Amino acid sequence: MHDDLIARARTWQAEDPDPETRDELAKLIDAGDLTELSARFSGTLQFGTAGLRGELGAGPMRMNRSVVIRAAAGLAAYLKNHGHGTGTVVIGYDARHKSADFAHDTAAVMTGAGLTAVVLPRPLPTPVLAFAVRHLGAVAGVEVTASHNPPRDNGYKVYLGDGSQIVPPADAEIAAEIQAVTTLHDVPRPDTGWETLDDTVLEAYLARTDAVLAPGSPRTARTVYTAMHGVGRDTLLAAFARAGFPTPALVAEQADPDPDFPTVAFPNPEEPGAMDLAFAKARETDPDLIIANDPDADRCAAAVKDNGAWRMLRGDEVGSLLAAHLVRRGATGVFAESIVSSSLLGRIAERAGLPYEETLTGFKWIARVDGLRYGYEEALGYCVDPDGVRDKDGITAALLITELASVLKEEGRTLLDLLDDLAVEHGLHATDQLAVRVQDLSVIARAMRKLREHPPAELAGLPVTKAEDLTQGTDRLPPTDGLRYTLTGARVIVRPSGTEPKLKCYLEVVVPVADHTALPAARATAAGLLTAIKHDLSAAAGI
């Protein structure tokens, strides 16, 4: 076992094109560090519907140039098998460690395989890449990003020619082609032959951002903006300038791209403490709202002043606000969301006479809804221009929420006033999440098994009227690893995260509201129920 492990590590090291990871492996081999070598050679990083994502480092279980070259070769083979052997592949990347290297390796592999590779000019938001796939008529797109993961991670997202992310069976077919790459020596990688684009595609993307706003709408809302050390700033500022909004006040400490994300524990606006600097800037400048992007700017967070203190709006709150805004503007087409998002969207669509669809988690599913006009997911993802970007887009979402804040400002109202109106009209839809981050993935498997074998009969004193194991699929949904409990006046979904070592439980309670004076009591009731559901669910899952 020991000799076999060392031999595999030496074989991998000999092929590794990156001196840094070669050196890293050499040190582990010389030190005889079998524990660390086992962790890195216990399998291969799995290519799934989020593409690849993992910690940077040497070996097949880490993100590195060898793994990326294999992934690119597998994708190229898949494209050739499907009759796209001479098509264009467009490649984008963020500002994380190694992102530019991974992008250029991908371009070299695509060129060597006979495809036409084009690379975006510099680190840019993920939605610019998603836009470029459709705009350039590409057969595929690759974005090198780990979105809002910790600094030590990177990832590899694949889009097909319709501009949306891959779904089964494409992921399994690409994974099989990756497995078939036995040695990197079989993968041609010329030094030249691909094109680095100029700013024309970015300009075309920015020109489309105008289309998400209503002609002549108010553009008066003042914002504080944080890029969370990512790549969103320049694109967002350009879009806001084109739209005629006041220039956002920047959170200077987080404005420049920095792969180490020095001011935050996790570069995700949802994580505790991530918005503290933005709140401080807002106390100094007193804007109408705060806008935050995650590091690759495909997500958008908003924060508002509530009783004198700044607070983040939940993804479901922003999702409902944008829906109500689009309805008021006369939008037509399908409104869609994932099953883990608030059921309030369905009520808004129904009241407006608009079609509504629920999908599995992830924009790879939402973006595929026929006739989509607006889609959102509670994890701060919003698709407000599906014809331009078939994915979540934190830049256009920021424009739309700022337009709504401007419209309300002209009426002497705020985003919170509109949320109150929606609660009175449709019932207070209060959502929360119980998320458990683990070191050991078996903890998640154990919790899911426990819930399957002993499903709860009630949570927070509310009877469970329906318990569904989503691995079986439903008449509307393909199979997925998840559990859904319908309760009287509440709903719970439990699933392992697709991108992080987390078990995620999504909770929603709906409390009827007679009028605006009943809102404080309804909020107190909802908060109590959510707390009790969390407690009972934790006990039932053994977490």
Side-chain angles (χ1 to χ4, degrees), residues 434-476:
L434 172 64
V436 184
R437 189 180 287 276
V438 299
Q439 293 295 313
D440 175 5
L441 287 174
S442 70
V443 173
I444 293 177
R446 261 200 314 277
M448 294 296 286
R449 190 166 62 246
K450 188 169 180 196
L451 287 169
R452 284 194 168 101
E453 289 169 2
H454 307 285
E458 61 170 43
L459 295 167
L462 302 173
V464 175
T465 55
K466 191 175 182 187
E468 296 168 279
D469 186 343
L470 299 176
T471 46
Q472 310 303 311
T474 71
D475 54 347
R476 305 302 303 266

Side-chain angles (χ1 to χ4, degrees), residues 184-349:
L184 291 191
H185 300 309
D186 296 342
V187 182
R189 283 184 296 132
D191 294 329
T192 57
W194 59 90
E195 180 191 354
T196 300
L197 297 168
D198 60 15
D199 277 355
T200 313
V201 168
L202 177 61
E203 288 301 328
Y205 168 81
L206 285 168
R208 262 210 84 92
T209 62
D210 302 350
V212 307
L213 302 174
S217 62
R219 311 277 166 96
T220 52
R222 291 171 49 254
T223 54
V224 157
Y225 171 70
T226 176
M228 207 66 65
H229 300 296
V231 299
R233 178 193 60 201
D234 294 351
T235 307
L236 182 127
L237 289 178
F240 269 57
R242 287 180 70 100
F245 286 114
T247 304
L250 298 179
V251 178
E253 302 93 326
Q254 298 174 335
D256 294 326
D258 186 332
D260 294 318
F261 306 106
T263 68
V264 288
F266 289 95
N268 176 356
E270 292 177 295
E271 293 281 349
M275 295 289 285
D276 287 356
L277 288 168
F279 292 161
K281 185 73 178 177
R283 287 191 291 271
E284 192 187 300
T285 57
D286 197 30
D288 297 296
L289 79 161
I290 299 171
I291 296 287
N293 284 138
D294 68 337
D296 68 326
D298 63 350
R299 293 165 197 250
C300 174
V304 294
K305 208 176 200 175
D306 190 357
N307 291 323
W310 285 91
R311 80 161 174 98
M312 271 271 291
L313 291 174
R314 291 189 160 277
D316 283 319
E317 291 177 309
V318 175
S320 304
L321 287 168
L322 292 177
H325 182 45
L326 289 169
V327 164
R328 184 171 165 179
R329 277 181 28 185
T332 56
V334 181
F335 279 30
E337 65 181 340
S338 62
I339 55 171
V340 298
S341 306
S342 170
S343 58
L344 178 55
L345 183 70
R347 305 251 178 127
I348 292 169

Side-chain angles (χ1 to χ4, degrees), residues 41-239:
F41 285 86
S42 60
T44 55
L45 210 53
Q46 285 306 298
F47 188 91
T49 47
L52 292 167
R53 204 176 281 188
E55 192 176 334
L56 290 163
M61 286 296 287
R62 298 284 184 269
M63 279 298 291
N64 52 63
R65 291 182 59 196
S66 297
V67 163
V68 164
I69 290 164
R70 283 179 160 79
L75 174 59
Y78 168 86
L79 292 170
K80 287 173 128 165
N81 293 345
H82 285 76
H84 301 305
T86 56
T88 297
V89 178
V90 57
I91 301 149
Y93 57 102
D94 67 11
R96 283 179 178 264
H97 293 296
K98 300 280 181 191
S99 286
D101 293 345
F102 295 167
H104 291 120
D105 281 332
T106 302
V109 171
M110 295 302 162
T111 304
L115 289 137
T116 301
V118 296
V119 185
L120 293 182
R122 59 185 168 281
L124 285 167
T126 294
V128 177
L129 181 277
F131 167 81
V133 175
R134 288 166 72 83
H135 181 69
L136 297 173
V139 295
V142 170
E143 176 71 14
V144 180
T145 181
S147 191
H148 56 281
N149 275 39
R152 62 179 185 274
D153 290 3
N154 212 329
Y156 198 81
K157 247 173 146 168
V158 176
Y159 296 78
L160 291 179
D162 62 354
S164 50
Q165 295 174 55
I166 51 167
V167 292
D171 55 342
E173 290 178 37
I174 295 168
E177 294 293 351
I178 295 169
Q179 283 305 122
V181 179
T182 49
T183 165
L184 291 191
H185 300 309
D186 296 342
V187 182
R189 283 184 296 132
D191 294 329
T192 57
W194 59 90
E195 180 191 354
T196 300
L197 297 168
D198 60 15
D199 277 355
T200 313
V201 168
L202 177 61
E203 288 301 328
Y205 168 81
L206 285 168
R208 262 210 84 92
T209 62
D210 302 350
V212 307
L213 302 174
S217 62
R219 311 277 166 96
T220 52
R222 291 171 49 254
T223 54
V224 157
Y225 171 70
T226 176
M228 207 66 65
H229 300 296
V231 299
R233 178 193 60 201
D234 294 351
T235 307
L236 182 127
L237 289 178

Side-chain angles (χ1 to χ4, degrees), residues 2 5-6 9-10 13 22-34 36-37:
H2 161 244
L5 181 59
I6 296 288
R10 285 196 197 284
Q13 183 200 11
R22 264 204 319 273
D23 186 45
E24 196 181 304
L25 262 189
K27 285 183 175 138
L28 292 174
I29 293 166
D30 293 347
D33 189 339
L34 298 184
E36 190 58 31
L37 286 170

